[in-house]
Amino acid sequence: MNDGNDLLGRGCRVAFAALLHDLGKFAERAALPDIDRDRLDAHLTNYCPFREKRYHSHRHAAWTALMLEVVERTAPDLILSDMAPFASRQGGCDITDSLVNAAAMHHRPVSFLQWIIATADRVASGFEREEFERYNAGEDKTSTGRNHYQARQLTLFEQIRLSDARGARVTPESLQWRYPLRALTPESLFPVPRKGYEPERDPPAQAEYRLLWTEFLQALESIPRTHRSQWPLWLDHFDTAWQTFTHAIPAATAFGVKPDVSLYDHSKTTAALATALWRWHDEFGQTSDAAREALASRADWDDEKFLLIQGDFFGIQQFIFADGAQTNRSAARLLRGRSFQVSLFTEVAALKVLEACELPATSQIINAAGKFLIVAPNTQGIRDRLDATRSELNAWFLQHTFGLAGLGLIGKAASCNDFLKGRFRTLIDELFGDLEAAKLHRFELVGDAPRVFAVTYPDGPCPYNSRLPADERGSAALSRDQIALGTQLARKSRLLIVDAASELRADGIVTLETAIFDYRIAFTGNEEATGRFGPLAQSGALRRCWDFSLPENLRDTLWHGYARRYINAYVPRFAEVNPWTREKYADQLAEDDGSAIEPGAGKTFGHIACEDRQPRDERGGWQGQSALMTLKGDVDNLGLVFQKGLAEPTFAKMAALSRQMNAFFAVWLPAYCAENHPDTYTVFAGGDDFFLIGPWHSTQKLAADMAAQFRTYVAENPEIHFSAGMVMSKPGLPIHTLASQAEEALEAAKGGGKNSLTLFGQRIAWPDWPTVSAAQSELEQLANDYRLSTSYLYGLLDLIRLACDTGNPESAIWRSRFAYRTRRYVVDKLKFAERETAQARLAGSLGERGIARLRGAYRIPLFNHFYKQR
């Protein structure tokens, strides 16, 4: 086996052992029938604490040892190959230090390697010494009254408290939401009410686990066999499979704990910590019995053995919305290409750091919205490599973007004790502070970085980004890559990252012109094309192979045999096309970029602007405004949620919160658009923010759907919400103008108290949106029933202005003017028998429930009505 290098290969095996230290919890709860009971009994004796000389506790440790043999059938060779730092099964060394023993002995560790994983297990959970001892002696029963079979995972969102206004702190009895025990899909990300779901008996509870276990084992078979020869490559795939099937399994169900951290998040943080801890001890030669004793007694838990490496992509919006002479001509492709490129830069930068530090993919805990967090050993060698990588990344961004974008990279030393519940909040605060400070030191401009670029424009500026010089082909290579990305994203599903010197030539492969941080990037579409790269994988040249395909629907399992990165956005495409529907786009064709209207082709902004038009019944043709709506938003008070929201934050909980917050926007939203709003571009969505462009009226419905769905996603916690700004425009408006206007609208929404939407210059709190929507429906019904004239409805805008001008002594007379105008209308336009009913309905709907209740917000139903009639 070629591990790329020995140190990285050894780190991968430590990470794998730590990642699966609680594998037995998964298998045991499935109550698998066809197992070797004699071997299980022997493992109980070897791996499980013996309580009061009567019974073995923490029986999952025995199951871990037993089931590792099942998982290893689809893993890299764990028998004949080099197993360092663990003992080989081929003999010649103490088998006590085998990988299986290191993984399974975490409740009764003996050797140094076993204590590495046991220590990481405790640190990830934030256990103080006494707390862990109580936990280790506890029974398999949670604080919610369910045993380890029946307990379903709580949601951390339900437990967030940002103020004292909601009364007492969280109690287990008050938590009423659970995650469904299913494989990861956009739908299964959402919690469900506990009542009616959480099993009360063991058999149905075990059956859920058994189905999930079967799916997990089947999933491992789909990892390409050729990738098993490379630990770093295979482990990245396995990490995604592990997440897919353990994201909703409670990690802890003993000693009355709250089962609110998933098996995935706990084991992932344990793996990252164990790898860094082992590397630190290996670097300093501290692997003796004395080192083991220090870990066990916690005598060295104040030593700063960890280096938390944070990356932060800055200049995202400036980069995505950069302008040029021909930006609008390829606006849709440029936007989706640039957005994907930002995510790609961040992912590849994280890979660059991992490889520089010789760490596996599991050491990367967080990667969302342009930020990542990697756990590394705190050694001088790692700090030197971090400095060198920072300089290399700075140089690349300065060369290729002239400082339009960049990536801050910092390291924060930490000890085991810093992760404990009593001190972890301080560590979080310092991490946030360090990241903010890094933004003020971009490109090390106080050092040797150039202040002015010695660049000429012999071929003129790039037509797509006027700050970049064009080359002999008439544009910048980076811009051509963006257009290629925007074109190919709807056609490809996998991304290959290889050494810059490697060749990628095959049918169906699209390779970017610009190497990113010395990696060559290529895209391929299907299993057959991807499978051609076995030799590259076996040689180690294929560093990563990522699946970035979007879910086909909300129930699609997010596993297709490869490591997944949630960096793609939903792209509207034409489905069925006929001459009748082509007429809908006729007004925009002259202004468009010539993109074909055919099944499977991506829609331009011109096409999207027409999607809310409706056919006229009498006169033929199409009716309604052709316009776009830009929607920009982000989660309110996110920093406070992470820093202050949880009563007892831990490393695993922080990782879980980040993953789950990102998943709503990066996983659920594109799938929801595909099913319910297929004409909306998700320009970017991830972390805690989103930027969407869609048809002017449908996007309003999407925004309301998002707010309602997000409320369920966070378990109806009223302290977690997002604000959004919406701007309506013609499709030809420059993209940077759209972005700045949407940003202003978002700021207006947040300025009035957050949890709000700004639309047509009106700020509406999300709880009030159903009232606005109901007013819209009433207006449409009345306009249809009484053929309300445009002039009558336009006159309401003056009355709204008067009603809102409370400082004007004449403000109150809007009612009398409304009554007069309405009476005139019904007398002039309606039959005598209709007048009294019409007067009452119009007064109640337009007057009291419209202007009187909504004031300025009633402009929204009126504007929507006017635009529909054009």
Side-chain angles (χ1 to χ4, degrees):
M1 175 182 292
N2 182 355
D3 289 324
N5 69 63
D6 184 57
L7 186 58
L8 177 56
R10 286 185 286 159
C12 287
R13 289 185 281 274
V14 172
F16 180 64
L19 193 66
L20 293 189
H21 77 282
D22 276 342
L23 172 69
K25 292 181 178 179
F26 191 174
E28 181 197 11
R29 296 172 196 174
L32 302 175
D34 300 324
I35 63 167
D36 188 332
R37 293 290 170 180
D38 291 336
R39 294 195 65 202
L40 179 61
D41 289 341
H43 287 334
L44 288 172
T45 301
N46 291 333
Y47 300 108
C48 303
F50 193 55
R51 301 299 181 195
E52 302 173 1
K53 298 183 179 181
R54 293 188 298 111
Y55 67 97
H56 288 99
S57 67
H58 300 85
R59 297 168 63 91
H60 68 271
W63 283 84
T64 291
L66 192 66
M67 290 298 111
L68 263 169
E69 298 178 12
V70 176
V71 172
E72 73 178 19
R73 297 170 189 166
T74 54
D77 185 3
L78 299 179
I79 299 175
L80 298 178
S81 66
D82 178 15
M83 289 303 298
F86 302 109
S88 171
R89 298 187 198 178
Q90 299 304 303
C93 54
D94 187 358
I95 199 63
T96 299
D97 266 337
S98 68
L99 184 149
V100 172
N101 284 349
M105 286 289 283
H106 56 284
H107 282 288
R108 48 176 306 189
V110 176
S111 72
F112 166 75
L113 288 174
Q114 291 166 13
W115 266 108
I116 286 288
I117 293 177
T119 300
D121 176 33
R122 291 147 172 76
V123 172
S125 299
F127 279 132
E128 301 284 354
R129 178 196 295 274
E130 294 79 8
E131 184 181 11
F132 177 77
E133 293 302 329
R134 292 194 299 270
Y135 167 78
N136 206 32
E139 297 179 359
D140 279 328
K141 191 172 184 179
T142 71
S143 61
T144 62
R146 294 287 192 264
N147 64 26
H148 58 300
Y149 299 121
Q150 302 163 6
R152 295 297 178 259
Q153 188 183 326
L154 312 177
T155 167
L156 293 171
F157 291 123
E158 189 178 8
Q159 303 175 58
I160 296 292
R161 297 291 184 269
L162 302 182
S163 68
D164 297 329
R166 295 179 62 194
R169 303 297 288 182
V170 177
T171 62
E173 296 77 15
S174 68
L175 300 174
Q176 299 301 316
W177 294 81
R178 303 291 186 269
Y179 286 111
L181 189 66
R182 301 204 306 270
L184 183 62
T185 68
E187 186 177 70
S188 69
L189 285 165
F190 283 68
V192 298
R194 172 189 184 182
K195 187 176 181 180
Y197 169 65
E198 194 169 47
E200 297 181 356
R201 297 185 304 110
D202 288 348
Q206 293 165 339
E208 278 191 303
Y209 270 107
R210 199 152 47 244
L211 175 61
L212 197 62
W213 175 261
T214 301
E215 293 174 345
F216 169 62
L217 294 185
Q218 292 172 346
L220 297 185
E221 295 284 353
S222 61
I223 299 177
R225 289 182 176 272
T226 54
H227 293 195
R228 296 181 193 174
S229 63
Q230 281 293 321
W231 263 106
L233 187 62
W234 180 87
L235 188 60
D236 195 23
H237 299 326
F238 181 85
D239 180 39
T240 293
W242 187 241
Q243 180 192 67
T244 301
F245 297 97
T246 65
H247 77 107
I249 295 177
T253 56
F255 179 54
V257 299
K258 284 188 297 186
D260 55 4
V261 174
S262 75
L263 183 58
Y264 175 74
D265 292 302
H266 172 68
S267 59
K268 178 70 174 287
T269 50
T270 299
L273 291 165
T275 305
L277 193 61
W278 169 76
R279 280 280 302 276
W280 187 92
H281 279 267
D282 186 69
E283 174 85 10
F284 288 99
Q286 297 186 19
T287 60
S288 64
D289 288 342
R292 172 181 57 79
E293 287 295 335
L295 288 172
S297 66
R298 306 196 178 195
D300 62 349
W301 276 37
D302 273 325
D303 294 347
E304 293 183 330
K305 301 178 182 179
F306 303 106
L307 189 69
L308 302 181
I309 300 175
Q310 296 184 97
D312 186 10
F313 191 99
F314 52 77
I316 290 179
Q317 296 200 47
Q318 187 179 17
F319 181 80
I320 291 178
F321 302 117
D323 208 11
Q326 296 186 31
T327 303
N328 285 350
R329 183 170 179 81
S330 301
R333 283 179 292 174
L334 268 175
L335 271 183
R336 63 180 179 257
R338 286 173 176 171
S339 177
F340 187 91
Q341 202 172 53
V342 166
S343 298
L344 185 59
F345 286 158
T346 310
E347 291 286 352
V348 177
L351 174 60
K352 186 74 173 178
V353 173
L354 288 171
E355 293 207 328
C357 299
E358 299 175 282
L359 292 169
T362 50
S363 293
Q364 180 180 325
I365 295 297
I366 294 172
N367 200 341
K371 295 180 175 62
F372 61 79
L373 176 65
I374 291 170
V375 183
N378 183 27
T379 67
Q380 186 60 50
I382 292 296
R383 292 192 294 272
D384 291 344
R385 295 179 191 184
L386 181 61
D387 290 341
T389 303
R390 182 188 300 111
S391 297
E392 187 175 343
L393 295 178
N394 283 343
W396 191 94
F397 279 111
L398 289 173
Q399 176 187 352
H400 292 280
T401 75
F402 292 157
L404 283 176
L407 191 132
L409 200 58
I410 61 172
K412 169 68 177 174
S415 68
C416 289
N417 279 331
D418 287 331
F419 290 90
L420 302 188
K421 293 176 182 177
R423 291 166 56 169
F424 186 64
R425 194 182 301 280
T426 300
L427 181 60
I428 294 177
D429 291 341
E430 292 175 352
L431 284 170
F432 274 82
D434 288 352
L435 209 52
E436 288 301 313
K439 295 178 181 179
L440 304 177
H441 298 274
R442 300 180 180 183
F443 299 114
E444 300 177 340
L445 293 178
V446 295
D448 298 329
R451 275 69 163 180
V452 178
F453 295 102
V455 61
T456 59
Y457 293 76
D459 297 298
C462 173
Y464 305 108
N465 186 336
S466 58
R467 298 193 183 188
L468 302 181
D471 57 23
E472 63 278 2
R473 296 177 58 182
S475 59
L478 201 64
S479 295
R480 292 194 293 272
D481 281 343
Q482 291 161 0
I483 294 175
L485 283 170
T487 303
Q488 297 298 327
L489 286 179
R491 307 173 185 176
K492 307 299 183 183
S493 58
R494 294 194 179 92
L495 184 149
L496 307 174
I497 299 179
V498 301
D499 296 332
S502 299
E503 291 291 331
L504 281 171
R505 294 180 180 178
D507 294 338
I509 300 300
V510 176
T511 304
L512 298 185
E513 284 187 56
T514 308
I516 301 177
F517 316 141
D518 287 332
Y519 297 108
R520 182 66 62 189
I521 311 297
F523 294 83
T524 180
N526 54 50
E527 182 74 31
E528 181 181 354
T530 309
R532 297 173 186 169
F533 300 100
L536 279 174
Q538 292 173 326
S539 70
L542 180 61
R543 300 306 181 87
R544 292 291 188 269
C545 181
W546 291 332
D547 172 17
F548 62 87
S549 61
L550 291 176
E552 295 181 0
N553 54 62
L554 294 172
R555 296 154 299 282
D556 186 17
T557 299
L558 301 176
W559 169 252
H560 301 112
Y562 295 84
R564 175 175 280 277
R565 294 297 187 271
Y566 304 106
I567 56 179
N568 203 356
Y570 176 72
V571 176
R573 287 180 283 178
F574 288 104
E576 182 179 352
V577 178
N578 54 54
W580 184 69
T581 59
R582 287 177 184 270
E583 294 177 4
K584 181 167 60 173
Y585 311 111
D587 294 344
Q588 291 295 330
L589 291 181
E591 304 175 17
D592 220 333
D593 64 2
S595 298
I597 300 177
E598 57 187 29
K603 295 181 180 180
T604 68
F605 287 147
H607 300 138
I608 292 172
C610 300
E611 293 300 348
D612 278 337
R613 305 184 76 192
Q614 299 296 321
R616 298 180 188 272
D617 294 333
E618 302 89 0
R619 294 171 289 170
W622 295 82
Q623 174 179 296
Q625 182 71 51
S626 296
L628 298 172
M629 187 69 81
T630 302
L631 169 63
K632 188 177 192 301
D634 61 43
V635 176
D636 300 316
N637 308 313
L638 184 70
L640 198 59
V641 168
F642 277 90
Q643 291 176 272
K644 308 295 183 185
L646 292 174
E648 293 185 332
T650 66
F651 193 34
K653 288 180 182 180
M654 186 187 76
L657 271 179
S658 177
R659 177 182 64 81
Q660 291 165 343
M661 185 67 77
N662 178 67
F664 179 83
F665 301 106
V667 179
W668 175 82
L669 181 56
Y672 187 76
C673 286
E675 270 201 358
N676 299 281
H677 294 273
D679 296 314
T680 302
Y681 268 106
T682 55
V683 177
F684 63 76
D688 72 316
D689 63 348
F690 52 91
F691 189 101
L692 314 178
I693 297 178
W696 71 271
H697 193 251
S698 299
T699 305
Q700 297 178 40
K701 176 66 166 57
L702 171 58
D705 290 349
M706 287 175 61
Q709 293 286 343
F710 190 69
R711 184 170 181 265
T712 301
Y713 191 79
V714 299
E716 297 185 355
N717 187 333
E719 294 190 296
I720 310 177
H721 39 70
F722 65 75
S723 295
M726 303 183 75
V727 177
M728 185 175 173
S729 65
K730 299 293 286 184
L733 199 66
I735 295 303
H736 71 274
T737 303
L738 283 180
S740 61
Q741 291 181 349
E743 181 64 31
E744 290 174 4
L746 175 58
E747 290 177 359
K750 287 183 175 291
K754 304 184 179 180
N755 193 22
S756 301
L757 166 73
T758 300
L759 173 62
F760 300 136
Q762 304 299 311
R763 177 187 168 275
I764 310 99
W766 280 119
D768 296 332
W769 180 259
T771 304
V772 175
S773 183
Q776 173 92 50
S777 298
E778 283 193 77
L779 174 60
E780 299 295 340
Q781 187 63 54
L782 290 171
N784 183 66
D785 291 348
Y786 300 122
R787 300 174 299 283
L788 297 179
S789 68
T790 300
S791 61
Y792 171 76
L793 292 176
Y794 262 114
L796 298 182
L797 295 174
D798 287 332
L799 299 181
I800 292 172
R801 178 185 54 78
L802 188 59
C804 292
D805 188 9
T806 56
N808 186 342
E810 297 184 354
S811 176
I813 68 174
W814 74 266
R815 292 179 183 275
S816 59
R817 292 183 179 179
F818 171 77
Y820 173 76
R821 295 186 71 257
T822 301
R823 187 62 186 173
R824 285 284 306 271
Y825 183 83
V826 300
V827 168
D828 293 347
K829 302 294 184 180
L830 303 181
K831 296 178 181 179
F832 180 82
E834 296 179 300
R835 292 174 185 172
E836 292 305 316
T837 300
Q839 179 85 29
R841 289 182 65 192
L842 292 173
S845 178
L846 306 186
E848 294 307 312
R849 291 188 296 279
I851 299 175
R853 178 186 296 178
L854 296 176
R855 300 289 173 168
Y858 197 59
R859 293 187 178 101
I860 295 173
L862 286 171
F863 287 159
N864 282 337
H865 176 76
F866 297 148
Y867 290 134
K868 284 183 176 181
Q869 308 310 310
R870 294 185 178 180

